[in-house]
Amino acid sequence: MPTYPRSFSHIGLSVQDLDKAIEFYANVLGFYVIMPPTTVVEDDSEIGRMCTDVFSQGWEKLRIAHLATADRIGIELFEFAGNFPPEDNLDFRRHGLFHFCIQDPDVEGLAARIVEAGGKQRMPVREYYPDEKPYRMVYVEDPFGNVFEIYSHSYELTYSAGAYAD
């Protein structure tokens, strides 16, 4: 059976306050709210059983909302009962997901908006090809500690020219 590239559907983020997270992702990043906040409880309903399959018994309840980016990638926001932040929100030595990336030609402007909204800029804006191409990037955090990156140009353009080549 031949292998072919799959499309990316969505990413799930856990946040302390779902309403504030929706406000941030909709108003600062411009994502579309496609399903407003909904409460799901641990019970024998289809969604209750599905969540128990994923989280095991004892998750009690959660609030969930669905947003979408301009290119139709989903952002699934979860607020779990009893949630708490990690001790290190960028534990890069631990395997697994440690960031996601969005694209905006105004990297500096978006980073400033994120900081104004209670987020954090983790580094200065950097250029991949100084004096050659205008490709820029920066790592930031949302107000809830989720780390993400902003690229000025597409992933394909940034890396097809060998961003790390000597």
Side-chain angles (χ1 to χ4, degrees), residues 7 13 16 33-34 58 68 74 77 95-96 99 101 103 109 114 116 125 130 136 140 149 151 156 160-162 166:
S7 59
L13 301 175
Q16 294 95 328
V33 177
I34 57 175
L77 299 175
H95 67 267
H99 80 276
C101 185
Q103 186 178 320
I114 289 166
E116 288 170 16
V125 173
R136 298 172 326 287
V140 297
E149 194 173 8
Y151 273 13
E156 293 89 352
S160 64
D166 292 333

Side-chain angles (χ1 to χ4, degrees), residues 53-101:
D53 289 344
V54 175
F55 307 126
S56 299
Q57 292 183 346
W59 59 273
E60 299 175 15
K61 71 175 183 175
L62 62 85
R63 292 182 69 222
I64 187 170
H66 295 268
L67 291 79
T69 66
D71 57 346
R72 302 181 318 268
I73 302 301
I75 307 294
E76 191 174 23
L77 299 175
F78 292 87
E79 177 188 316
F80 291 95
N83 67 31
F84 56 92
E87 289 184 30
D88 181 358
N89 66 338
L90 189 61
D91 192 358
F92 59 89
R93 286 190 174 86
R94 187 175 182 182
H95 67 267
L97 182 69
F98 74 91
H99 80 276
F100 61 94
C101 185

